[in-house]
Amino acid sequence: MKRITITLSDDIAEAFDAYMTESGAQNRSEAIRDLVRRAMLQRQNGPADAPCLGVVSYTVDQTTRNLGARLAQRRLDAHDRHVAALSVPLDHTTALEIEVLRGRLSDVSIASEALFLERGVAHGALSLIPVAPSKSPHVHDQENDHPHSHIHVQPSFIATTQDS
């Protein structure tokens, strides 16, 4: 860990203390680490080939002609990138869609931006989670074991020396 000192205006310090109380952070260091981590993850300027998970959320106007079919075909065309999808009806014509994607940062970002440009799609947001594949497959000591590997969540898109 590296210790740093920051100076905040009284207004920002007061708002920060209120945030800390609301968020349940145990101390200022924990709250600052959380805010900095989230701010860094919102930046989509990591290496284009960095592996990631992307959580895409958006609303869909179901009355838009052929939109449902186009969205379904989009998922089928990139089935290797789509992990999960959830549709939450909000009213008689609008649904909140949530998708989990995996792949290279550039592929996930480009696919999300293309989706947000679709007629009938609104309120699009992409949250990125940097990941790294485990270095080797393993087996657990249980019945029906099979070799498998995991992905490990990384603190940022900046290369780390952390063992996976």
Side-chain angles (χ1 to χ4, degrees), residues 74-109:
R74 180 184 144 273
R75 288 184 188 132
L76 289 171
D77 290 345
H79 62 88
D80 56 329
R81 185 172 43 236
H82 283 79
V83 176
L86 171 69
S87 182
V88 181
L90 300 176
D91 59 28
H92 294 285
T93 62
T94 309
L96 170 65
E97 302 288 327
I98 302 163
E99 299 179 8
V100 178
L101 308 175
R102 67 173 163 226
R104 298 179 329 151
L105 182 123
S106 60
D107 295 337
V108 169
S109 296

PDB file of all heavy atoms in Angstrom, residues 74-109:
ATOM      1  N   ARG A  74     -28.704 -10.004 -32.756  1.00  0.00           N
ATOM      2  CA  ARG A  74     -27.409  -9.459 -32.319  1.00  0.00           C
ATOM      3  C   ARG A  74     -26.767 -10.386 -31.276  1.00  0.00           C
ATOM      4  O   ARG A  74     -25.576 -10.666 -31.332  1.00  0.00           O
ATOM      5  CB  ARG A  74     -27.649  -8.059 -31.734  1.00  0.00           C
ATOM      6  CG  ARG A  74     -26.443  -7.352 -31.229  1.00  0.00           C
ATOM      7  CD  ARG A  74     -26.885  -6.013 -30.578  1.00  0.00           C
ATOM      8  NE  ARG A  74     -26.042  -5.753 -29.445  1.00  0.00           N
ATOM      9  CZ  ARG A  74     -26.242  -6.189 -28.220  1.00  0.00           C
ATOM     10  NH1 ARG A  74     -27.300  -6.902 -27.932  1.00  0.00           N
ATOM     11  NH2 ARG A  74     -25.395  -5.922 -27.259  1.00  0.00           N
ATOM     12  N   ARG A  75     -27.575 -10.861 -30.340  1.00  0.00           N
ATOM     13  CA  ARG A  75     -27.044 -11.774 -29.318  1.00  0.00           C
ATOM     14  C   ARG A  75     -26.617 -13.102 -29.936  1.00  0.00           C
ATOM     15  O   ARG A  75     -25.577 -13.658 -29.574  1.00  0.00           O
ATOM     16  CB  ARG A  75     -28.090 -12.010 -28.234  1.00  0.00           C
ATOM     17  CG  ARG A  75     -28.299 -10.821 -27.346  1.00  0.00           C
ATOM     18  CD  ARG A  75     -29.278 -11.136 -26.229  1.00  0.00           C
ATOM     19  NE  ARG A  75     -29.600  -9.922 -25.521  1.00  0.00           N
ATOM     20  CZ  ARG A  75     -30.835  -9.544 -25.219  1.00  0.00           C
ATOM     21  NH1 ARG A  75     -31.863 -10.296 -25.554  1.00  0.00           N
ATOM     22  NH2 ARG A  75     -31.044  -8.419 -24.571  1.00  0.00           N
ATOM     23  N   LEU A  76     -27.402 -13.617 -30.864  1.00  0.00           N
ATOM     24  CA  LEU A  76     -27.049 -14.878 -31.516  1.00  0.00           C
ATOM     25  C   LEU A  76     -25.774 -14.744 -32.346  1.00  0.00           C
ATOM     26  O   LEU A  76     -24.933 -15.647 -32.352  1.00  0.00           O
ATOM     27  CB  LEU A  76     -28.200 -15.358 -32.407  1.00  0.00           C
ATOM     28  CG  LEU A  76     -29.433 -15.868 -31.673  1.00  0.00           C
ATOM     29  CD1 LEU A  76     -30.571 -16.104 -32.657  1.00  0.00           C
ATOM     30  CD2 LEU A  76     -29.107 -17.130 -30.894  1.00  0.00           C
ATOM     31  N   ASP A  77     -25.634 -13.630 -33.040  1.00  0.00           N
ATOM     32  CA  ASP A  77     -24.454 -13.413 -33.874  1.00  0.00           C
ATOM     33  C   ASP A  77     -23.168 -13.339 -33.042  1.00  0.00           C
ATOM     34  O   ASP A  77     -22.092 -13.633 -33.548  1.00  0.00           O
ATOM     35  CB  ASP A  77     -24.596 -12.129 -34.693  1.00  0.00           C
ATOM     36  CG  ASP A  77     -25.640 -12.262 -35.788  1.00  0.00           C
ATOM     37  OD1 ASP A  77     -26.048 -13.411 -36.101  1.00  0.00           O
ATOM     38  OD2 ASP A  77     -26.064 -11.212 -36.315  1.00  0.00           O
ATOM     39  N   ALA A  78     -23.298 -12.939 -31.789  1.00  0.00           N
ATOM     40  CA  ALA A  78     -22.119 -12.825 -30.916  1.00  0.00           C
ATOM     41  C   ALA A  78     -22.312 -13.706 -29.678  1.00  0.00           C
ATOM     42  O   ALA A  78     -22.004 -13.309 -28.559  1.00  0.00           O
ATOM     43  CB  ALA A  78     -21.900 -11.369 -30.528  1.00  0.00           C
ATOM     44  N   HIS A  79     -22.806 -14.923 -29.901  1.00  0.00           N
ATOM     45  CA  HIS A  79     -23.115 -15.825 -28.785  1.00  0.00           C
ATOM     46  C   HIS A  79     -21.908 -16.108 -27.900  1.00  0.00           C
ATOM     47  O   HIS A  79     -22.046 -16.350 -26.709  1.00  0.00           O
ATOM     48  CB  HIS A  79     -23.710 -17.140 -29.302  1.00  0.00           C
ATOM     49  CG  HIS A  79     -22.767 -17.892 -30.171  1.00  0.00           C
ATOM     50  ND1 HIS A  79     -21.852 -18.781 -29.689  1.00  0.00           N
ATOM     51  CD2 HIS A  79     -22.586 -17.844 -31.518  1.00  0.00           C
ATOM     52  CE1 HIS A  79     -21.143 -19.264 -30.694  1.00  0.00           C
ATOM     53  NE2 HIS A  79     -21.576 -18.715 -31.822  1.00  0.00           N
ATOM     54  N   ASP A  80     -20.713 -16.073 -28.460  1.00  0.00           N
ATOM     55  CA  ASP A  80     -19.515 -16.340 -27.664  1.00  0.00           C
ATOM     56  C   ASP A  80     -19.176 -15.175 -26.740  1.00  0.00           C
ATOM     57  O   ASP A  80     -18.415 -15.338 -25.794  1.00  0.00           O
ATOM     58  CB  ASP A  80     -18.324 -16.651 -28.574  1.00  0.00           C
ATOM     59  CG  ASP A  80     -18.051 -15.547 -29.578  1.00  0.00           C
ATOM     60  OD1 ASP A  80     -19.001 -14.863 -30.002  1.00  0.00           O
ATOM     61  OD2 ASP A  80     -16.875 -15.358 -29.934  1.00  0.00           O
ATOM     62  N   ARG A  81     -19.732 -14.008 -26.996  1.00  0.00           N
ATOM     63  CA  ARG A  81     -19.458 -12.830 -26.181  1.00  0.00           C
ATOM     64  C   ARG A  81     -20.549 -12.618 -25.124  1.00  0.00           C
ATOM     65  O   ARG A  81     -20.320 -12.008 -24.102  1.00  0.00           O
ATOM     66  CB  ARG A  81     -19.348 -11.595 -27.079  1.00  0.00           C
ATOM     67  CG  ARG A  81     -18.945 -10.364 -26.350  1.00  0.00           C
ATOM     68  CD  ARG A  81     -18.639  -9.159 -27.214  1.00  0.00           C
ATOM     69  NE  ARG A  81     -19.586  -8.952 -28.285  1.00  0.00           N
ATOM     70  CZ  ARG A  81     -19.242  -8.880 -29.575  1.00  0.00           C
ATOM     71  NH1 ARG A  81     -17.987  -9.005 -29.936  1.00  0.00           N
ATOM     72  NH2 ARG A  81     -20.150  -8.680 -30.501  1.00  0.00           N
ATOM     73  N   HIS A  82     -21.741 -13.135 -25.336  1.00  0.00           N
ATOM     74  CA  HIS A  82     -22.853 -12.919 -24.418  1.00  0.00           C
ATOM     75  C   HIS A  82     -22.891 -13.999 -23.344  1.00  0.00           C
ATOM     76  O   HIS A  82     -22.963 -15.183 -23.647  1.00  0.00           O
ATOM     77  CB  HIS A  82     -24.185 -12.889 -25.178  1.00  0.00           C
ATOM     78  CG  HIS A  82     -24.397 -11.595 -25.879  1.00  0.00           C
ATOM     79  ND1 HIS A  82     -23.788 -11.292 -27.069  1.00  0.00           N
ATOM     80  CD2 HIS A  82     -25.113 -10.507 -25.531  1.00  0.00           C
ATOM     81  CE1 HIS A  82     -24.134 -10.080 -27.438  1.00  0.00           C
ATOM     82  NE2 HIS A  82     -24.936  -9.580 -26.526  1.00  0.00           N
ATOM     83  N   VAL A  83     -22.855 -13.569 -22.097  1.00  0.00           N
ATOM     84  CA  VAL A  83     -22.889 -14.485 -20.968  1.00  0.00           C
ATOM     85  C   VAL A  83     -24.318 -14.635 -20.453  1.00  0.00           C
ATOM     86  O   VAL A  83     -24.779 -15.734 -20.177  1.00  0.00           O
ATOM     87  CB  VAL A  83     -21.963 -13.988 -19.828  1.00  0.00           C
ATOM     88  CG1 VAL A  83     -22.056 -14.886 -18.612  1.00  0.00           C
ATOM     89  CG2 VAL A  83     -20.531 -13.866 -20.316  1.00  0.00           C
ATOM     90  N   ALA A  84     -25.025 -13.509 -20.340  1.00  0.00           N
ATOM     91  CA  ALA A  84     -26.384 -13.538 -19.805  1.00  0.00           C
ATOM     92  C   ALA A  84     -27.143 -12.299 -20.249  1.00  0.00           C
ATOM     93  O   ALA A  84     -26.536 -11.277 -20.574  1.00  0.00           O
ATOM     94  CB  ALA A  84     -26.350 -13.596 -18.279  1.00  0.00           C
ATOM     95  N   ALA A  85     -28.464 -12.417 -20.248  1.00  0.00           N
ATOM     96  CA  ALA A  85     -29.322 -11.279 -20.573  1.00  0.00           C
ATOM     97  C   ALA A  85     -30.570 -11.363 -19.705  1.00  0.00           C
ATOM     98  O   ALA A  85     -31.079 -12.449 -19.425  1.00  0.00           O
ATOM     99  CB  ALA A  85     -29.701 -11.283 -22.048  1.00  0.00           C
ATOM    100  N   LEU A  86     -31.038 -10.202 -19.284  1.00  0.00           N
ATOM    101  CA  LEU A  86     -32.231 -10.112 -18.448  1.00  0.00           C
ATOM    102  C   LEU A  86     -33.105  -8.997 -18.994  1.00  0.00           C
ATOM    103  O   LEU A  86     -32.604  -7.917 -19.316  1.00  0.00           O
ATOM    104  CB  LEU A  86     -31.832  -9.798 -16.999  1.00  0.00           C
ATOM    105  CG  LEU A  86     -32.948  -9.449 -16.023  1.00  0.00           C
ATOM    106  CD1 LEU A  86     -33.814 -10.670 -15.742  1.00  0.00           C
ATOM    107  CD2 LEU A  86     -32.347  -8.901 -14.738  1.00  0.00           C
ATOM    108  N   SER A  87     -34.389  -9.263 -19.113  1.00  0.00           N
ATOM    109  CA  SER A  87     -35.339  -8.259 -19.572  1.00  0.00           C
ATOM    110  C   SER A  87     -36.341  -8.005 -18.460  1.00  0.00           C
ATOM    111  O   SER A  87     -36.973  -8.944 -17.961  1.00  0.00           O
ATOM    112  CB  SER A  87     -36.056  -8.741 -20.836  1.00  0.00           C
ATOM    113  OG  SER A  87     -36.940  -7.745 -21.305  1.00  0.00           O
ATOM    114  N   VAL A  88     -36.485  -6.731 -18.065  1.00  0.00           N
ATOM    115  CA  VAL A  88     -37.397  -6.364 -16.992  1.00  0.00           C
ATOM    116  C   VAL A  88     -38.472  -5.446 -17.569  1.00  0.00           C
ATOM    117  O   VAL A  88     -38.183  -4.295 -17.914  1.00  0.00           O
ATOM    118  CB  VAL A  88     -36.645  -5.621 -15.860  1.00  0.00           C
ATOM    119  CG1 VAL A  88     -37.594  -5.252 -14.731  1.00  0.00           C
ATOM    120  CG2 VAL A  88     -35.473  -6.451 -15.350  1.00  0.00           C
ATOM    121  N   PRO A  89     -39.704  -5.924 -17.704  1.00  0.00           N
ATOM    122  CA  PRO A  89     -40.771  -5.063 -18.214  1.00  0.00           C
ATOM    123  C   PRO A  89     -41.028  -3.913 -17.236  1.00  0.00           C
ATOM    124  O   PRO A  89     -41.160  -4.128 -16.031  1.00  0.00           O
ATOM    125  CB  PRO A  89     -41.988  -5.984 -18.286  1.00  0.00           C
ATOM    126  CG  PRO A  89     -41.441  -7.372 -18.209  1.00  0.00           C
ATOM    127  CD  PRO A  89     -40.169  -7.283 -17.439  1.00  0.00           C
ATOM    128  N   LEU A  90     -41.089  -2.691 -17.775  1.00  0.00           N
ATOM    129  CA  LEU A  90     -41.327  -1.523 -16.928  1.00  0.00           C
ATOM    130  C   LEU A  90     -42.754  -1.011 -17.052  1.00  0.00           C
ATOM    131  O   LEU A  90     -43.321  -0.496 -16.099  1.00  0.00           O
ATOM    132  CB  LEU A  90     -40.342  -0.406 -17.285  1.00  0.00           C
ATOM    133  CG  LEU A  90     -38.863  -0.766 -17.110  1.00  0.00           C
ATOM    134  CD1 LEU A  90     -37.985   0.387 -17.577  1.00  0.00           C
ATOM    135  CD2 LEU A  90     -38.560  -1.127 -15.667  1.00  0.00           C
ATOM    136  N   ASP A  91     -43.303  -1.105 -18.250  1.00  0.00           N
ATOM    137  CA  ASP A  91     -44.695  -0.736 -18.494  1.00  0.00           C
ATOM    138  C   ASP A  91     -45.157  -1.519 -19.716  1.00  0.00           C
ATOM    139  O   ASP A  91     -44.534  -2.519 -20.083  1.00  0.00           O
ATOM    140  CB  ASP A  91     -44.867   0.784 -18.646  1.00  0.00           C
ATOM    141  CG  ASP A  91     -44.057   1.395 -19.780  1.00  0.00           C
ATOM    142  OD1 ASP A  91     -43.779   0.682 -20.784  1.00  0.00           O
ATOM    143  OD2 ASP A  91     -43.700   2.580 -19.693  1.00  0.00           O
ATOM    144  N   HIS A  92     -46.200  -1.074 -20.388  1.00  0.00           N
ATOM    145  CA  HIS A  92     -46.745  -1.834 -21.519  1.00  0.00           C
ATOM    146  C   HIS A  92     -45.886  -1.755 -22.779  1.00  0.00           C
ATOM    147  O   HIS A  92     -46.069  -2.547 -23.704  1.00  0.00           O
ATOM    148  CB  HIS A  92     -48.174  -1.377 -21.821  1.00  0.00           C
ATOM    149  CG  HIS A  92     -49.123  -1.693 -20.710  1.00  0.00           C
ATOM    150  ND1 HIS A  92     -49.587  -2.963 -20.460  1.00  0.00           N
ATOM    151  CD2 HIS A  92     -49.653  -0.905 -19.758  1.00  0.00           C
ATOM    152  CE1 HIS A  92     -50.380  -2.950 -19.417  1.00  0.00           C
ATOM    153  NE2 HIS A  92     -50.441  -1.707 -18.958  1.00  0.00           N
ATOM    154  N   THR A  93     -44.941  -0.821 -22.834  1.00  0.00           N
ATOM    155  CA  THR A  93     -44.130  -0.674 -24.052  1.00  0.00           C
ATOM    156  C   THR A  93     -42.632  -0.609 -23.809  1.00  0.00           C
ATOM    157  O   THR A  93     -41.864  -0.654 -24.759  1.00  0.00           O
ATOM    158  CB  THR A  93     -44.533   0.606 -24.820  1.00  0.00           C
ATOM    159  OG1 THR A  93     -44.273   1.747 -23.992  1.00  0.00           O
ATOM    160  CG2 THR A  93     -45.992   0.567 -25.227  1.00  0.00           C
ATOM    161  N   THR A  94     -42.212  -0.494 -22.565  1.00  0.00           N
ATOM    162  CA  THR A  94     -40.797  -0.279 -22.271  1.00  0.00           C
ATOM    163  C   THR A  94     -40.243  -1.383 -21.378  1.00  0.00           C
ATOM    164  O   THR A  94     -40.905  -1.820 -20.439  1.00  0.00           O
ATOM    165  CB  THR A  94     -40.584   1.084 -21.568  1.00  0.00           C
ATOM    166  OG1 THR A  94     -41.235   2.099 -22.322  1.00  0.00           O
ATOM    167  CG2 THR A  94     -39.110   1.410 -21.443  1.00  0.00           C
ATOM    168  N   ALA A  95     -39.011  -1.805 -21.673  1.00  0.00           N
ATOM    169  CA  ALA A  95     -38.330  -2.802 -20.839  1.00  0.00           C
ATOM    170  C   ALA A  95     -36.916  -2.326 -20.546  1.00  0.00           C
ATOM    171  O   ALA A  95     -36.296  -1.631 -21.363  1.00  0.00           O
ATOM    172  CB  ALA A  95     -38.283  -4.156 -21.546  1.00  0.00           C
ATOM    173  N   LEU A  96     -36.436  -2.681 -19.389  1.00  0.00           N
ATOM    174  CA  LEU A  96     -35.036  -2.467 -19.025  1.00  0.00           C
ATOM    175  C   LEU A  96     -34.298  -3.745 -19.382  1.00  0.00           C
ATOM    176  O   LEU A  96     -34.679  -4.831 -18.939  1.00  0.00           O
ATOM    177  CB  LEU A  96     -34.899  -2.175 -17.538  1.00  0.00           C
ATOM    178  CG  LEU A  96     -33.479  -2.167 -16.968  1.00  0.00           C
ATOM    179  CD1 LEU A  96     -32.663  -1.033 -17.582  1.00  0.00           C
ATOM    180  CD2 LEU A  96     -33.527  -2.044 -15.453  1.00  0.00           C
ATOM    181  N   GLU A  97     -33.282  -3.626 -20.213  1.00  0.00           N
ATOM    182  CA  GLU A  97     -32.484  -4.782 -20.629  1.00  0.00           C
ATOM    183  C   GLU A  97     -31.123  -4.709 -19.951  1.00  0.00           C
ATOM    184  O   GLU A  97     -30.509  -3.637 -19.878  1.00  0.00           O
ATOM    185  CB  GLU A  97     -32.291  -4.774 -22.149  1.00  0.00           C
ATOM    186  CG  GLU A  97     -33.579  -4.794 -22.941  1.00  0.00           C
ATOM    187  CD  GLU A  97     -34.295  -6.123 -22.887  1.00  0.00           C
ATOM    188  OE1 GLU A  97     -33.623  -7.173 -22.804  1.00  0.00           O
ATOM    189  OE2 GLU A  97     -35.533  -6.114 -22.934  1.00  0.00           O
ATOM    190  N   ILE A  98     -30.653  -5.844 -19.465  1.00  0.00           N
ATOM    191  CA  ILE A  98     -29.337  -5.928 -18.830  1.00  0.00           C
ATOM    192  C   ILE A  98     -28.627  -7.118 -19.442  1.00  0.00           C
ATOM    193  O   ILE A  98     -29.174  -8.216 -19.504  1.00  0.00           O
ATOM    194  CB  ILE A  98     -29.460  -6.104 -17.305  1.00  0.00           C
ATOM    195  CG1 ILE A  98     -30.253  -4.931 -16.712  1.00  0.00           C
ATOM    196  CG2 ILE A  98     -28.081  -6.221 -16.664  1.00  0.00           C
ATOM    197  CD1 ILE A  98     -30.788  -5.181 -15.339  1.00  0.00           C
ATOM    198  N   GLU A  99     -27.407  -6.883 -19.911  1.00  0.00           N
ATOM    199  CA  GLU A  99     -26.617  -7.945 -20.531  1.00  0.00           C
ATOM    200  C   GLU A  99     -25.250  -8.002 -19.871  1.00  0.00           C
ATOM    201  O   GLU A  99     -24.699  -6.981 -19.477  1.00  0.00           O
ATOM    202  CB  GLU A  99     -26.416  -7.676 -22.024  1.00  0.00           C
ATOM    203  CG  GLU A  99     -27.675  -7.616 -22.833  1.00  0.00           C
ATOM    204  CD  GLU A  99     -27.407  -7.330 -24.305  1.00  0.00           C
ATOM    205  OE1 GLU A  99     -26.221  -7.330 -24.729  1.00  0.00           O
ATOM    206  OE2 GLU A  99     -28.381  -7.106 -25.028  1.00  0.00           O
ATOM    207  N   VAL A 100     -24.720  -9.196 -19.784  1.00  0.00           N
ATOM    208  CA  VAL A 100     -23.338  -9.384 -19.348  1.00  0.00           C
ATOM    209  C   VAL A 100     -22.570  -9.920 -20.548  1.00  0.00           C
ATOM    210  O   VAL A 100     -22.951 -10.942 -21.133  1.00  0.00           O
ATOM    211  CB  VAL A 100     -23.235 -10.356 -18.155  1.00  0.00           C
ATOM    212  CG1 VAL A 100     -21.779 -10.559 -17.752  1.00  0.00           C
ATOM    213  CG2 VAL A 100     -24.063  -9.853 -16.977  1.00  0.00           C
ATOM    214  N   LEU A 101     -21.518  -9.201 -20.927  1.00  0.00           N
ATOM    215  CA  LEU A 101     -20.683  -9.583 -22.069  1.00  0.00           C
ATOM    216  C   LEU A 101     -19.292  -9.912 -21.576  1.00  0.00           C
ATOM    217  O   LEU A 101     -18.863  -9.433 -20.526  1.00  0.00           O
ATOM    218  CB  LEU A 101     -20.586  -8.425 -23.072  1.00  0.00           C
ATOM    219  CG  LEU A 101     -21.884  -7.789 -23.545  1.00  0.00           C
ATOM    220  CD1 LEU A 101     -21.585  -6.585 -24.425  1.00  0.00           C
ATOM    221  CD2 LEU A 101     -22.700  -8.799 -24.303  1.00  0.00           C
ATOM    222  N   ARG A 102     -18.569 -10.697 -22.371  1.00  0.00           N
ATOM    223  CA  ARG A 102     -17.162 -10.973 -22.047  1.00  0.00           C
ATOM    224  C   ARG A 102     -16.372 -10.843 -23.335  1.00  0.00           C
ATOM    225  O   ARG A 102     -16.894 -11.027 -24.445  1.00  0.00           O
ATOM    226  CB  ARG A 102     -16.986 -12.347 -21.439  1.00  0.00           C
ATOM    227  CG  ARG A 102     -17.271 -13.462 -22.411  1.00  0.00           C
ATOM    228  CD  ARG A 102     -16.922 -14.819 -21.822  1.00  0.00           C
ATOM    229  NE  ARG A 102     -17.588 -15.825 -22.627  1.00  0.00           N
ATOM    230  CZ  ARG A 102     -18.256 -16.839 -22.153  1.00  0.00           C
ATOM    231  NH1 ARG A 102     -18.343 -17.025 -20.872  1.00  0.00           N
ATOM    232  NH2 ARG A 102     -18.840 -17.684 -22.962  1.00  0.00           N
ATOM    233  N   GLY A 103     -15.107 -10.518 -23.186  1.00  0.00           N
ATOM    234  CA  GLY A 103     -14.255 -10.405 -24.364  1.00  0.00           C
ATOM    235  C   GLY A 103     -13.214  -9.323 -24.190  1.00  0.00           C
ATOM    236  O   GLY A 103     -12.932  -8.880 -23.075  1.00  0.00           O
ATOM    237  N   ARG A 104     -12.657  -8.919 -25.302  1.00  0.00           N
ATOM    238  CA  ARG A 104     -11.656  -7.847 -25.283  1.00  0.00           C
ATOM    239  C   ARG A 104     -12.367  -6.518 -25.057  1.00  0.00           C
ATOM    240  O   ARG A 104     -13.473  -6.308 -25.533  1.00  0.00           O
ATOM    241  CB  ARG A 104     -10.886  -7.808 -26.598  1.00  0.00           C
ATOM    242  CG  ARG A 104     -10.109  -9.076 -26.884  1.00  0.00           C
ATOM    243  CD  ARG A 104      -9.367  -9.034 -28.193  1.00  0.00           C
ATOM    244  NE  ARG A 104     -10.042  -8.218 -29.198  1.00  0.00           N
ATOM    245  CZ  ARG A 104      -9.425  -7.569 -30.171  1.00  0.00           C
ATOM    246  NH1 ARG A 104      -8.127  -7.645 -30.296  1.00  0.00           N
ATOM    247  NH2 ARG A 104     -10.102  -6.853 -31.033  1.00  0.00           N
ATOM    248  N   LEU A 105     -11.710  -5.624 -24.375  1.00  0.00           N
ATOM    249  CA  LEU A 105     -12.293  -4.327 -24.064  1.00  0.00           C
ATOM    250  C   LEU A 105     -12.791  -3.622 -25.318  1.00  0.00           C
ATOM    251  O   LEU A 105     -13.900  -3.092 -25.342  1.00  0.00           O
ATOM    252  CB  LEU A 105     -11.265  -3.453 -23.333  1.00  0.00           C
ATOM    253  CG  LEU A 105     -11.786  -2.106 -22.911  1.00  0.00           C
ATOM    254  CD1 LEU A 105     -11.626  -1.907 -21.424  1.00  0.00           C
ATOM    255  CD2 LEU A 105     -11.046  -1.023 -23.651  1.00  0.00           C
ATOM    256  N   SER A 106     -12.017  -3.652 -26.390  1.00  0.00           N
ATOM    257  CA  SER A 106     -12.433  -2.969 -27.612  1.00  0.00           C
ATOM    258  C   SER A 106     -13.697  -3.593 -28.187  1.00  0.00           C
ATOM    259  O   SER A 106     -14.614  -2.879 -28.610  1.00  0.00           O
ATOM    260  CB  SER A 106     -11.316  -2.975 -28.650  1.00  0.00           C
ATOM    261  OG  SER A 106     -10.968  -4.302 -28.993  1.00  0.00           O
ATOM    262  N   ASP A 107     -13.800  -4.911 -28.197  1.00  0.00           N
ATOM    263  CA  ASP A 107     -14.980  -5.587 -28.743  1.00  0.00           C
ATOM    264  C   ASP A 107     -16.231  -5.291 -27.923  1.00  0.00           C
ATOM    265  O   ASP A 107     -17.303  -5.025 -28.468  1.00  0.00           O
ATOM    266  CB  ASP A 107     -14.764  -7.101 -28.815  1.00  0.00           C
ATOM    267  CG  ASP A 107     -13.664  -7.495 -29.775  1.00  0.00           C
ATOM    268  OD1 ASP A 107     -13.358  -6.698 -30.684  1.00  0.00           O
ATOM    269  OD2 ASP A 107     -13.098  -8.589 -29.596  1.00  0.00           O
ATOM    270  N   VAL A 108     -16.094  -5.332 -26.605  1.00  0.00           N
ATOM    271  CA  VAL A 108     -17.234  -5.072 -25.724  1.00  0.00           C
ATOM    272  C   VAL A 108     -17.680  -3.616 -25.861  1.00  0.00           C
ATOM    273  O   VAL A 108     -18.876  -3.324 -25.958  1.00  0.00           O
ATOM    274  CB  VAL A 108     -16.869  -5.422 -24.259  1.00  0.00           C
ATOM    275  CG1 VAL A 108     -17.927  -4.927 -23.282  1.00  0.00           C
ATOM    276  CG2 VAL A 108     -16.662  -6.934 -24.108  1.00  0.00           C
ATOM    277  N   SER A 109     -16.729  -2.697 -25.911  1.00  0.00           N
ATOM    278  CA  SER A 109     -17.062  -1.270 -26.040  1.00  0.00           C
ATOM    279  C   SER A 109     -17.722  -0.971 -27.381  1.00  0.00           C
ATOM    280  O   SER A 109     -18.745  -0.269 -27.439  1.00  0.00           O
ATOM    281  CB  SER A 109     -15.805  -0.412 -25.885  1.00  0.00           C
ATOM    282  OG  SER A 109     -15.270  -0.545 -24.598  1.00  0.00           O
TER     283      SER A 109
END
